[in-house]
């Protein structure tokens, strides 16, 4: 006999459960299943082929390029945006004239939609009359096709992502800094601790829970945020800016190779899971939660 | 009462003011704390006592005036260069560091060599009995233990002046009494100068060599506890010190208690007569009062009475079973009657004192 409360509990959980299953859990399971089948085409139904999709991925040159690009992209955006966020938070946490304005300015990129950001930066990067070339022109440097050159296209994407993300992470650091009791600083001042010593021995360790949170988000974003690639380069030139998620999008919705896209998605999920596990495992143990 | 091998330094405030915009927190405070003595800054909240302490520490700067420690003008010096240690009300322990790391934080910051650090740590640990806590974090300690660690951090600095900002306010009553004795003992043993902020007059009476009573950013009275008790300089000081504090009775122009009559307590209009509850006794003659409430405390009974327009508390020995509404006469020796100006609150000198 199931008790009345149990029914009520399930009834209360149902709306959330339904949405979660429909849009999160089932698609995830379906993706895993799809990755083990061939892509259905016309009258040909999907056929179970085991890990064959994964095997063919190993020979896919574009996949390896996308993976390499994504690692470079992550390795550059994550530390850059997190360190920049911390520096900005420290800057706007001190008593400055016009502090609210500065905070807002730092946060603005976060509020803009990525499509708008991409369009703004598209203009910055335009050869000849874009912002970068105009500034470079002042120093006598010639024109440069930032997005058209495969050597500078990926760094350009990285710059946009850092600009967009740092303000968002700054908010978390700022909140954490403001939650720190001011008497810790005063106690350290009395003890003759230098600003740097206090930052290194007190501020930074106390910010670790925030850092962990921000890092996990930064890692996820590094594999998730590809809107600007769609708008600015479409993965080009010569796949120089193709990131993993963009490649999934292309495979799935331009070439309609859904099985392959599912396979790529599984790879991406496994990658993210491994990174998250690593972060919580390695960093989590060194984080002090109050 | 400086000890013989005093390691303390004298502290002097010279006409120190502090204002934030139009708000004045301290208005011209001058103060001299002798080397090795225990000085309590006492007062209700908002009286400026904490501001005063923070100015000595260098955490706040004085708007005008001078601060001297050990004869040296420190007004413009940063906190670390003043030779003071401080125990915060919140203890301000670093939550991510162990007790040992917390205590040694300042010594490491000042690059004190490791053997010396070890020596000072061992001494603090032995003095405070916190040896078994060294590896723990503040979050794993009780309030009293955190308090000891905060004391330890102040001791190892071996500063000649120690500042304490309501250090016992977060502890329960029993622990507070224990720590009171312990802090006093520590101060005597180390011979340091102590500046101690509290709103609790019991703490001030029990610990201080010198009590500085503050009110509204001004010093109301600066005296040893015995004198503060025996000769309050103002009606505020009279009404702040003592458990329960001194009764203040409004006098009629004829010198009797307004609305009650009875004996003449002090001639001249616009006066307050101050009588300590423990100086009152039930007599044949005296101020006619009516009992409103009696509180039996074991050793004595505090009887609340109404005397005309004033409320009077009397501390009577033993168990005085008095029902509400009982008429009584309360008498006091003339020597126990203090007179104050009702307008200014200032003490009025009487013939015999």
């Amino acid at each position: 006999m199931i008790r009345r409360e149990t029914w009520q509990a399930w009834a209360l959980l149902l709306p959330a459960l339904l949405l979660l299953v429909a849009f999160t859990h089932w698609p995830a399971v379906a993706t895993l299943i799809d990755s083990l089948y061939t892509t259905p085409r016309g009258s040909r139904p999907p056929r179970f082929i085991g890990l064959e999709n994964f095997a063919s991925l190993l020979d896919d040159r574009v996949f390896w390029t996308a993976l390499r690009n994504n690692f470079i992209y992550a390795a550059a955006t994550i530390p850059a945006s997190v360190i920049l966020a911390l520096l900005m938070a420290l800057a706007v946490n001190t008593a400055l004239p016009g502090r609210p304005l500065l905070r807002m300015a730092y946060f603005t990129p976060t509020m803009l939609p990525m499509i708008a950001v991409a369009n703004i930066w598209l203009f910055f990067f335009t050869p000849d009359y874009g912002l970068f070339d105009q500034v470079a022109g002042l120093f006598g440097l010639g024109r440069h096709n930032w997005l058209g050159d495969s050597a500078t296209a990926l760094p350009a994407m990285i710059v946009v992502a850092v600009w967009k993300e740092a303000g968002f992470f700054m908010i978390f650091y700022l909140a954490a800094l403001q939650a720190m009791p001011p008497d810790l600083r005063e106690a350290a001042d009395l003890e003759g601790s230098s600003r740097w010593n206090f930052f290194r021995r007190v501020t930074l360790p106390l910010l670790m829970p925030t850092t962990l949170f921000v890092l996990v988000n930064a890692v996820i974003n590094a594999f998730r945020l590809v809107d600007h690639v769609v708008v600015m380069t479409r993965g080009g030139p010569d796949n120089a800016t193709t990131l993993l998620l963009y490649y999934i999008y292309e495979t799935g919705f331009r070439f309609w190779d859904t099985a392959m896209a599912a396979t790529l998605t599984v790879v991406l999920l496994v990658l993210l899971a491994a990174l998250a596990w690593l972060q919580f495992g390695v960093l989590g143990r060194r984080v002090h939660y109050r | 009462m400086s000890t013989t091998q005093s390691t303390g330094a004298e502290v002097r405030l010279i006409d120190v003011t502090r204002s934030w915009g139009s708000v004045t927190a301290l208005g011209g405070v001058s103060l001299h704390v002798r080397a090795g003595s225990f000085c309590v800054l006492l007062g209700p909240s908002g009286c400026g006592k904490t501001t005063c302490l923070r100015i000595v520490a260098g955490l706040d700067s004085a708007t005008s005036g001078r601060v001297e420690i050990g004869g040296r003008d420190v007004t413009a010096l940063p906190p670390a260069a003043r030779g003071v240690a401080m125990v915060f009300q919140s203890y301000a322990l670093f939550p991510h560091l162990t007790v040992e790391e917390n205590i040694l934080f300042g010594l490491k910051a000042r690059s004190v060599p490791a053997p010396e650090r070890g020596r000072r740590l061992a001494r603090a640990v032995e003095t405070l009995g916190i040896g078994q806590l060294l590896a723990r974090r503040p979050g794993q300690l009780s309030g009293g233990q955190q308090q000891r660690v905060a004391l330890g951090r102040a001791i190892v600095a071996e500063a000649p002046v120690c500042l304490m900002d309501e250090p016992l306010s977060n502890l329960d009553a029993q622990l507070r009494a224990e720590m009171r004795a312990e802090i006093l003992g520590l101060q005597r043993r180390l011979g340091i100068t102590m500046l101690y902020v509290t709103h609790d007059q019991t703490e001030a009476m029990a610990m201080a060599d010198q009590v500085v009573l503050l009110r509204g950013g001004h010093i109301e009275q600066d005296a040893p506890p015995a004198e503060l008790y025996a000769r309050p300089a103002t009606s505020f000081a009279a009404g702040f010190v003592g458990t329960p504090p001194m009764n203040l009775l409004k006098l009629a122009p004829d010198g009797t208690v307004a609305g009650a009559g009875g004996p003449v307590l002090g001639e001249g209009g616009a006066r307050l007569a101050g009588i300590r509850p423990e100086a009152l006794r039930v007599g044949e003659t005296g101020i006619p009062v009516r009992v409103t409430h009696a509180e039996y405390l074991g050793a004595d009974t505090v009887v609340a009475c109404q005397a005309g327009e004033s409320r009077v508390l009397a501390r009577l020995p033993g168990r005085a079973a008095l029902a509400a509404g009982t008429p009584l006469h309360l008498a006091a020796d003339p020597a126990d009657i203090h007179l104050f100006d009702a307008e200014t609150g200032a003490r009025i000198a009487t013939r015999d004192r």
Side-chain angles (χ1 to χ4, degrees):
Chain A
M1 190 60 206
I2 297 165
R3 283 192 308 158
R4 200 185 137 109
E5 287 105 90
T6 313
W7 281 112
Q8 283 171 343
W10 279 107
L12 287 166
L13 281 175
L14 199 61
L17 199 63
L18 227 64
L19 289 172
L20 267 178
V21 168
F23 294 104
T24 306
H25 299 152
W26 172 242
V29 174
T31 302
L32 196 61
I33 294 168
D34 284 351
S35 71
L36 304 175
Y37 285 79
T38 58
T39 302
R41 286 189 204 282
S43 58
R44 219 161 0 123
R47 183 168 51 83
F48 181 80
I49 52 165
L51 296 175
E52 223 168 274
N53 280 331
F54 292 91
S56 66
L57 213 52
L58 295 176
D59 300 326
D60 185 348
R61 198 182 57 83
V62 182
F63 165 71
W64 287 110
T65 307
L67 201 61
R68 194 180 63 97
N69 284 345
N70 221 145
F71 272 112
I72 295 169
Y73 180 78
T77 52
I78 295 167
S81 57
V82 172
I83 291 170
L84 197 62
L86 180 58
L87 291 178
M88 293 195 309
L90 288 168
V92 298
N93 193 40
T94 49
L96 277 171
R99 187 170 62 167
L101 215 67
L102 202 59
R103 283 185 188 175
M104 205 174 74
Y106 284 163
F107 191 59
T108 310
T110 303
M111 297 189 290
L112 292 175
M114 195 55 172
I115 304 289
V117 170
N119 276 299
I120 294 168
W121 281 85
L122 205 51
F123 178 71
F124 288 172
F125 286 131
T126 308
D128 292 329
Y129 55 88
L131 180 75
F132 281 97
D133 267 14
Q134 286 198 21
V135 172
L138 293 178
F139 296 98
L141 300 168
R143 73 188 289 275
H144 189 81
N145 190 353
W146 299 95
L147 299 177
D149 184 339
S150 50
T152 53
L154 190 60
M157 295 296 106
I158 289 168
V159 169
V160 175
V162 170
W163 185 79
K164 166 91 178 145
E165 296 221 292
F168 183 55
F169 297 148
M170 176 200 74
I171 291 296
F172 295 104
Y173 274 126
L174 190 57
L177 283 173
Q178 305 219 315
M180 269 175 54
D183 51 14
L184 292 184
R185 158 105 253 173
E186 294 177 347
D189 277 350
L190 275 158
E191 304 265 8
S193 162
S194 66
R195 287 176 71 94
W196 168 244
N197 183 55
F198 180 76
F199 177 75
R200 197 174 57 87
R201 299 233 18 228
V202 181
T203 311
L204 218 49
L206 289 181
L207 286 177
M208 274 312 275
T210 311
T211 303
L212 181 60
F213 173 81
V214 162
L215 271 181
V216 170
N217 272 279
V219 167
I220 292 170
N221 278 354
F223 288 91
R224 191 188 65 110
L225 218 60
V226 294
D227 312 26
H228 56 315
V229 174
V230 177
V231 174
M232 295 171 78
T233 62
R234 295 184 173 273
D238 188 21
N239 286 321
T241 57
T242 297
L243 301 177
L244 212 48
L245 188 57
Y246 184 74
Y247 186 47
I248 293 172
Y249 164 78
E250 286 229 299
T251 310
F253 298 102
R254 279 173 52 132
F255 310 139
W256 293 105
D257 190 351
T258 49
M260 214 57 206
T263 311
L264 281 163
T265 307
V266 170
V267 171
L268 178 59
L269 284 177
V270 169
L271 202 66
L272 283 177
L275 285 172
W277 179 78
L278 204 71
Q279 288 180 87
F280 279 110
V282 175
L283 283 173
R285 230 173 295 145
R286 300 179 49 186
V287 170
H288 169 77
Y289 292 97
R290 254 177 287 186
Chain B
M1 199 195 290
S2 52
T3 50
T4 42
Q5 79 292 11
S6 164
T7 54
E10 62 161 12
V11 177
R12 214 183 267 273
L13 267 68
I14 300 148
D15 206 23
V16 169
T17 67
R18 170 77 222 199
S19 43
W20 280 277
S22 60
V23 182
T24 304
L26 279 183
V29 167
S30 294
L31 176 64
H32 178 213
V33 183
R34 272 168 298 121
S37 71
F38 198 117
C39 171
V40 171
L41 299 174
L42 176 69
S45 46
C47 72
K49 56 190 190 296
T50 296
T51 307
C52 209
L53 194 77
R54 290 175 60 87
I55 286 173
V56 174
L59 297 173
D60 273 334
S61 54
T63 307
S64 69
R66 212 145 52 95
V67 181
E68 286 177 5
I69 296 174
R72 193 166 56 116
D73 185 350
V74 298
T75 319
L77 291 184
R82 294 186 172 205
V84 296
M86 184 159 170
V87 176
F88 289 79
Q89 182 171 10
S90 63
Y91 312 139
L93 298 176
F94 302 115
H96 61 295
L97 299 180
T98 63
V99 167
E100 179 175 342
E101 289 167 328
N102 260 290
I103 292 176
L104 293 179
F105 183 87
L107 300 184
K108 281 185 186 162
R110 289 181 198 270
S111 310
V112 172
E116 173 68 8
R117 285 205 303 257
R119 188 190 67 76
R120 294 201 201 176
L121 177 69
R123 195 166 85 123
V125 163
E126 197 203 310
T127 309
L128 297 164
I130 50 175
Q132 75 286 5
L133 306 178
L134 285 180
R136 294 207 213 155
R137 297 231 170 98
Q140 301 164 305
L141 304 179
S142 70
Q145 290 170 329
Q146 289 187 23
Q147 165 77 74
R148 278 169 196 279
V149 176
L151 279 174
R153 198 171 60 177
I155 294 176
V156 295
E158 295 189 352
V161 177
C162 183
L163 310 173
M164 295 199 175
D165 186 8
E166 310 228 11
L168 305 183
S169 59
N170 294 329
L171 304 181
D172 61 59
Q174 195 193 339
L175 200 54
R176 209 180 300 173
E178 282 173 31
M179 287 309 288
R180 212 156 64 193
E182 199 158 324
I183 289 175
L184 185 60
L186 202 63
Q187 183 266 337
R188 293 286 189 250
R189 220 170 329 141
L190 301 176
I192 51 175
T193 308
M194 180 76 82
L195 232 72
Y196 184 107
V197 161
T198 183
H199 61 267
D200 182 350
Q201 55 96 19
T202 328
E203 268 173 40
M205 298 302 278
M207 300 166 90
D209 296 317
Q210 174 190 8
V211 180
V212 177
L213 181 64
L214 285 148
R215 178 205 194 189
H218 291 275
I219 291 180
E220 198 81 4
Q221 187 166 6
D222 177 355
E227 192 184 331
L228 190 68
Y229 177 83
R231 285 178 56 84
T234 63
S235 58
F236 175 80
F240 200 82
V241 172
T243 9
M246 190 184 276
N247 294 301
L248 292 168
L249 304 164
K250 228 174 112 190
L251 297 186
D254 65 355
T256 61
V257 176
V264 173
L265 301 177
E267 297 86 1
R271 289 189 165 186
L272 290 172
I275 309 172
R276 295 235 171 251
E278 47 274 35
L280 286 167
R281 60 179 185 276
V282 179
E284 293 298 313
T285 58
I287 310 159
V289 298
R290 203 167 277 280
V291 174
T292 54
H293 175 70
E295 212 169 57
Y296 175 56
L297 298 174
D300 42 25
T301 306
V302 173
V303 183
C305 312
Q306 196 69 33
E309 299 164 22
S310 314
R311 231 168 73 87
V312 181
L313 296 177
R315 192 187 264 272
L316 304 177
R319 177 160 208 169
L322 294 165
T326 314
L328 283 180
H329 285 278
L330 291 176
D333 286 337
D336 289 329
I337 298 169
H338 310 255
L339 291 177
F340 302 99
D341 188 311
E343 285 289 310
T344 64
R347 180 182 188 85
I348 297 167
T350 46
R351 295 172 304 276
D352 48 337
R353 306 174 145 241

